[in-house]
Amino acid sequence: MTRPRLPSLIALRAFEAVGRRGSVRAAGDELAVSHTVVSRHLQNLQRSLGVVLVRAEGRGLALTDLGRLFHAEVTQAFDIIARATTLIRPAARPTLNIWCIPGLANRRLLARLPELTGPPRNWDINLQPTLSHPDLPRGEADAEIVYAEVIETGGAVVAEELVRPRVFPVASPAYLARFPGITTLAGIAKASLIHEESTAQWERWFELAGLDQLVTLRGQRLWHAHLAIEAARIGQGVALANEVLVAEDIRSGALVEVIPSTIHMGAYQLVALKERWNEPAIAALRGWLKKVLAE
């Protein structure tokens, strides 16, 4: 009996990721492609099947009834392929698959990875900078490093706070020389602020700092902390940063703390499966992270 022509495997992967993540952007982060590529795969898949699988819902996407049915079957198929691959693949060096928020991965962990990949551990490390969250029970990652105030673990996962850094505004010496009046909260609020995804982080910081009347905040949005910090370093304005990410820039003089503060807005936390929490690899990763982030 002739097998029906199958849809594109790449398109199926994009659809499975969108259904699981709930947005095209999150799926693109996971698959390391742009959201436009994911959207094109979805359109091609729906066209080849002749059915509607997803619909717009708020700022994301939701599966249609047919989409949920198809997604459940496709997910099972990928799980079968994953198990079969593990079954026949020759034994290799241990690989530690870590998903991590981009700023920390780029600015603090990358330079220290040889401590994990070299003797005595000799691990293969897959460090994936992303804002998406892995499905740990399905084995998408061994551990996740996030920045959050509180993590709702419950059930299968455990989280441990690694460090709770101070958060403060930074700018380049050249920028502050051009605008010497930026010495108060009100002055900072009127400066060229550099935001991440939205103005929410700055709004929260001003609230905690005690600014009574908050003006409308403006400025460029760069999505990731390390991009905001780099924009501040090259003199484009004032960014919010934490001491873990900018310690070296402060020491070198590339960035200056605009005004002193004692504000904390979250913590770096390690998340892993409860059943794996005391495995040697996870325990070693936890210890290494605490060491790196404390220096």
Side-chain angles (χ1 to χ4, degrees):
M1 186 174 180
T2 303
R3 175 179 293 151
R5 182 179 177 183
L6 297 178
S8 160
L9 182 60
I10 296 176
L12 288 174
R13 285 189 65 201
F15 168 68
E16 193 277 334
V18 169
R20 187 162 29 83
R21 297 296 180 196
S23 80
V24 169
R25 186 176 296 277
D29 285 342
E30 176 180 322
L31 300 174
V33 297
S34 72
H35 66 278
T36 55
V37 171
V38 174
S39 294
R40 186 165 61 249
H41 286 321
L42 281 180
Q43 292 168 7
N44 291 340
L45 179 61
Q46 292 181 118
R47 188 179 302 114
S48 70
L49 295 174
V51 298
V52 177
L53 299 172
V54 297
R55 67 175 187 275
E57 187 174 273
R59 298 180 63 183
L61 292 177
L63 298 179
T64 63
D65 290 341
L66 285 176
R68 283 193 295 272
L69 176 63
F70 190 54
H71 188 268
E73 297 294 330
V74 168
T75 299
Q76 288 187 34
F78 278 121
D79 288 342
I80 291 171
I81 294 172
R83 288 195 298 271
T85 302
T86 301
L87 184 65
I88 62 119
R89 177 174 284 161
R93 293 201 310 172
T95 298
L96 199 57
N97 187 7
I98 308 163
W99 287 26
C100 180
I101 55 174
L104 185 67
N106 290 320
R107 295 188 64 85
R108 198 63 182 264
L109 301 186
L110 181 61
R112 302 289 294 270
L113 280 184
E115 296 173 13
L116 292 177
T117 58
R121 298 188 178 100
N122 294 316
W123 293 337
D124 285 333
I125 301 295
N126 178 18
L127 179 64
Q128 181 168 332
T130 179
L131 295 178
S132 298
H133 301 287
D135 189 333
L136 294 173
R138 288 186 59 203
E140 287 186 336
D142 296 299
E144 177 187 17
I145 306 166
V146 301
Y147 184 78
E149 184 63 47
V150 177
I151 295 178
E152 299 197 5
T153 53
V157 300
V158 175
E160 181 176 317
E161 183 174 307
L162 300 168
V163 65
R164 185 172 292 269
R166 190 168 58 89
V167 178
F168 47 85
V170 296
S172 70
Y175 182 84
L176 293 178
R178 294 201 309 272
F179 303 98
I182 304 177
T183 57
T184 64
L185 289 176
I188 295 174
K190 296 177 182 178
S192 296
L193 301 182
I194 302 170
H195 306 279
E196 293 181 31
E197 182 177 353
S198 70
T199 62
Q201 188 181 37
W202 268 109
E203 290 168 359
R204 176 62 175 156
W205 187 88
F206 279 123
E207 178 186 355
L208 294 173
L211 183 61
D212 295 329
Q213 294 183 337
L214 184 61
V215 299
T216 300
L217 300 182
R218 294 183 172 83
Q220 56 190 335
R221 304 184 187 189
L222 300 178
W223 282 87
H224 298 303
H226 63 291
L227 294 179
I229 291 168
E230 180 62 18
R233 196 184 66 80
I234 61 178
Q236 293 184 1
V238 183
L240 267 185
N242 69 60
E243 53 195 345
V244 167
L245 297 185
V246 297
E248 183 57 39
D249 287 319
I250 295 292
R251 281 194 293 267
S252 69
L255 287 172
V256 176
E257 185 173 350
V258 180
I259 60 173
S261 69
T262 56
I263 296 171
H264 300 260
M265 295 173 57
Y268 289 106
Q269 304 193 44
L270 178 68
V271 185
L273 288 177
K274 184 183 298 183
E275 64 189 42
R276 300 191 57 194
W277 190 251
N278 292 317
E279 286 185 6
I282 302 299
L285 174 64
R286 192 161 66 246
W288 175 74
L289 287 169
K290 290 182 177 180
K291 175 186 176 184
V292 169
L293 299 182
E295 294 176 357

